Amino acid sequence: MRKFFTEARLLLVAIPVFLWTMIPLYHLMLFAISPKDTAFKGKLWPDDPTLRNFELVLQQKHYYLNNFWHQMWNSLVIALAVGFITLFVATAAAFAISRLRVRGGRLIMNLALLTYFVPAAFLALPMYKAMAVYGLLNTQWALIFAMVAIATPYAIWVLKQAGDKLPIELDEAAIIDGATAPQLFRFIFLPLMAPSMVAVGTYALLLAWNEYLYAFLLLSRDVDTTLAVALGAFLSADDSPWELLMTAGLIYALPPAAIYYAFRRYMAADLTSGSVKS
């Protein structure tokens, strides 16, 4: 009975959370398969569901969607670049702080974390000025560097905390065998940190994928901007085709969902599974 009541309490929490999460996604799909004249009738299922909206979006048959695939590609390239650069910088910094114990490393990490006390929106104009000074304004590198700067402090902290949990005996044994610092990094630190690295890389990628403000400020040309900014143009018209906006939004949500499900088993894996025999 105790087990039954425990599971019942968990269900009482899980079911509302599940519904709270899925209802917006359901309505997103509902708009995507509804004809324009029936999208706002408030029905739980459209009388005449259609895939016409997907055809219009995928074939770019609306003037708001003239650069849909190009902007989707921009979003993908920028998100992947932010993910890889953030992962490289954060992993190297976490290794230096956690395993090599470099002098002042923890202080630098804490100072970097202090930047989160300032909301990212307040840093948008200073970032705009910095990119203009260095000649990066209106290039995709401007957005990439801006998002890396935002994502890196948290990524370093996460990887540093995970690195502290690794047995120091592994490093000591490798050093006795003659391993150098780069070898420790490549053959010990990286394999054991793979689950945390996947989580951090996914975090940075999704942060860049969903970014709107910095992309809006730093990229002005339609051929350079991301799809998130392009979809915002739908809101500027009085007769916005909401069904096309919801359809494009549903398509835009598929790549990060696929990335998450592809790497979910690594994100849940034990950091030191199989590394030390008892």
Side-chain angles (χ1 to χ4, degrees):
M1 290 298 295
R2 180 179 300 176
K3 181 180 180 181
F4 171 79
F5 284 116
T6 300
E7 293 180 353
R9 286 196 298 268
L10 291 175
L11 286 176
L12 288 176
V13 174
I15 291 176
V17 171
F18 175 78
L19 293 176
W20 183 263
T21 304
M22 295 305 298
I23 286 176
L25 297 178
Y26 171 75
H27 284 286
L28 184 68
M29 184 195 69
L30 197 63
F31 269 95
I33 62 174
S34 297
K36 183 175 183 178
D37 55 347
T38 63
F40 289 95
K41 289 190 175 181
K43 295 185 177 181
L44 293 178
W45 190 256
D47 295 331
D48 301 308
T50 178
L51 297 178
R52 172 67 175 168
N53 297 328
F54 288 91
E55 179 185 350
L56 295 175
V57 172
L58 296 177
Q59 296 183 9
Q60 306 180 139
K61 290 185 177 180
H62 193 278
Y63 58 88
Y64 281 145
L65 300 167
N66 287 336
N67 298 298
F68 175 81
W69 286 114
H70 194 87
Q71 291 160 347
M72 175 73 86
W73 174 253
N74 291 340
S75 297
L76 183 62
V77 170
I78 291 171
L80 289 175
V82 170
F84 281 114
I85 295 175
T86 300
L87 198 57
F88 173 78
V89 174
T91 304
F95 175 73
I97 298 170
S98 176
R99 314 305 288 181
L100 299 183
R101 316 287 189 185
V102 295
R103 180 175 299 179
R106 294 174 185 269
L107 176 61
I108 294 174
M109 181 189 69
N110 291 330
L111 290 176
L113 287 173
L114 287 177
T115 59
Y116 288 127
F117 282 95
V118 180
F122 292 171
L123 298 175
L125 290 180
M127 193 73 73
Y128 180 92
K129 176 65 175 178
M131 295 304 170
V133 169
Y134 290 106
L136 296 174
L137 200 59
N138 295 321
T139 68
Q140 293 182 356
W141 283 111
L143 181 57
I144 291 172
F145 289 146
M147 298 313 301
V148 169
I150 293 173
T152 298
Y154 176 73
I156 293 174
W157 180 78
V158 170
L159 292 178
K160 185 265 178 187
Q161 298 298 321
D164 287 345
K165 297 178 182 178
L166 299 180
I168 194 64
E169 291 79 9
L170 295 174
D171 291 2
E172 293 173 350
I175 292 173
I176 292 175
D177 291 337
T180 61
Q183 290 174 329
L184 291 176
F185 180 75
R186 179 181 177 183
F187 296 110
I188 296 179
F189 189 75
L190 289 183
L192 295 178
M193 292 291 290
S196 295
M197 291 171 61
V198 170
V200 166
T202 303
Y203 155 76
L205 188 150
L206 294 180
L207 184 70
W209 183 266
N210 294 319
E211 178 59 32
Y212 177 85
L213 177 60
Y214 281 82
F216 178 78
L217 287 176
L218 300 176
L219 302 174
S220 59
R221 296 183 299 177
D222 289 341
V223 294
D224 293 329
T225 193
T226 62
L227 188 57
V229 174
L231 294 181
F234 280 81
L235 306 177
S236 62
D238 295 332
D239 57 343
S240 296
W242 295 102
E243 72 285 355
L244 297 184
L245 174 61
M246 297 297 105
T247 304
L250 183 61
I251 296 173
Y252 190 61
L254 294 179
I259 290 173
Y260 170 77
Y261 281 104
F263 294 106
R264 68 187 186 279
R265 68 187 184 94
Y266 295 102
M267 298 177 70
D270 183 10
L271 283 175
T272 56
S273 177
S275 62
V276 180
K277 295 182 179 179
S278 57

